[in-house]
């Protein structure tokens, strides 16, 4: 089945610097890749997603890149701010159907140092 | 993005009692909803897939008689934890699919005393 690996597990960056989180997946049929942000005591919130026909997508300070050949995708946060501190999860659904369960990465705990 | 409302956000119950958690998609219809359990500092663990109008599909190791799931309409799925015990204390999260995107509820912190 699908396997999603996420690195690093923890990341601490200086406020204003950039943060990069990387994920690899195993199922070549996967073609939708969301990223979620989870704050303490809350449910995950979708922050950006990318489909396999696109190599990069950007939304203000957040960008996601996808390398389908290498089966990896990355989250880039620029000009980090204190409110970016949270746990980030990548995910990949095996296949592409309305009933496929998505597989989450293990999460990255991002801390922004003032 | 779409809104998924989960209630209650927290609940404390006595051991042996049952607790119902609701998950509603507020601005879209969701044929498929999912229920997760999350332990501290861990990723989300899928418990079951809730399909509107049919039986839920449970993941291996999840007791279907203990965690009852009902998806009676396209906007509502419920999870009932029956005969709750302290080991059922956890953070439960639902999601609703507006294909291909999954939107999550706020989560429910269940404490069984």
């Amino acid at each position: 089945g699908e396997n999603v690996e996420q690195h690093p597990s923890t990341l601490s960056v200086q406020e204003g610097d950039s943060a990069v989180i990387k994920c690899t997946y195993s199922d070549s049929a996967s073609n939708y890749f969301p990223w979620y942000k989870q704050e303490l005591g809350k449910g995950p919130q979708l922050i950006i997603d990318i489909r396999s026909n696109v190599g990069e997508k950007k939304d203000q300070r957040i960008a996601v890149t996808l390398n389908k050949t290498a089966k990896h995708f990355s989250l880039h946060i620029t000009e980090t701010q204190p409110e970016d501190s949270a746990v980030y999860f990548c995910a990949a659904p095996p296949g592409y159907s309305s009933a496929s369960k998505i597989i989450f990465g293990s999460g990255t705990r991002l801390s922004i140092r003032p | 993005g779409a809104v998924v409302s989960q209630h209650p956000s927290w609940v404390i119950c006595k051991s042996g009692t049952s607790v119902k958690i609701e998950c509603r998609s507020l601005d879209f219809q969701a044929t498929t909803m999912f229920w997760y359990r999350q332990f501290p500092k861990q990723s989300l663990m899928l418990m079951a897939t809730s399909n509107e109008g049919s039986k839920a599909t449970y993941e291996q190791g999840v007791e279907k008689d203990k965690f009852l799931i009902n998806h009676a309409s396209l906007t509502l799925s419920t999870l009932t934890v029956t005969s709750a015990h302290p080991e059922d204390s956890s953070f439960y999260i639902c999601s609703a699919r507006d294909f291909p995107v999954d939107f999550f509820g706020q989560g429910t912190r269940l404490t069984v005393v």
Side-chain angles (χ1 to χ4, degrees), chain A residues 5-61:
Chain A
E5 294 190 359
Q6 182 173 347
H7 299 281
S9 57
T10 61
L11 180 61
S12 178
V13 301
Q14 193 75 35
E15 182 178 350
D17 289 349
S18 296
V20 180
I21 303 170
K22 298 181 179 181
C23 285
T24 60
Y25 61 97
S26 60
D27 189 341
S28 57
S30 296
N31 50 16
Y32 171 70
F33 306 93
W35 283 92
Y36 290 89
K37 174 184 181 182
Q38 186 178 26
E39 298 178 339
L40 190 63
K42 298 183 179 180
Q45 178 187 9
L46 179 71
I47 55 172
I48 196 167
D49 55 14
I50 192 168
R51 307 193 187 200
S52 61
N53 57 347
V54 177
E56 182 176 358
K57 182 178 177 180
K58 189 174 182 180
D59 182 3
Q60 298 182 4
R61 297 185 298 108

Side-chain angles (χ1 to χ4, degrees), chain A residues 32 36 38 41-46 49 51 89 93 96-102 104-107 109, chain B residues 32 34 36 38 41-44 46 49 51 59 91 93 97 99-107 109:
Chain A
Y32 171 70
Y36 290 89
Q38 186 178 26
K42 298 183 179 180
Q45 178 187 9
L46 179 71
D49 55 14
R51 307 193 187 200
F89 293 98
Y96 196 67
S97 79
S98 61
S100 297
K101 55 185 179 183
I102 62 174
F104 286 91
S106 52
R109 186 170 299 274
Chain B
T32 307
F34 301 88
Y36 296 86
Q38 188 176 36
K41 296 187 178 182
Q42 293 190 21
S43 188
L44 287 77
L46 180 65
T49 301
N51 305 295
E59 295 299 300
F91 192 56
I93 312 171
R97 177 159 294 176
F99 185 74
V101 185
D102 287 5
F103 295 98
F104 285 82
Q106 308 95 311
R109 171 72 58 192

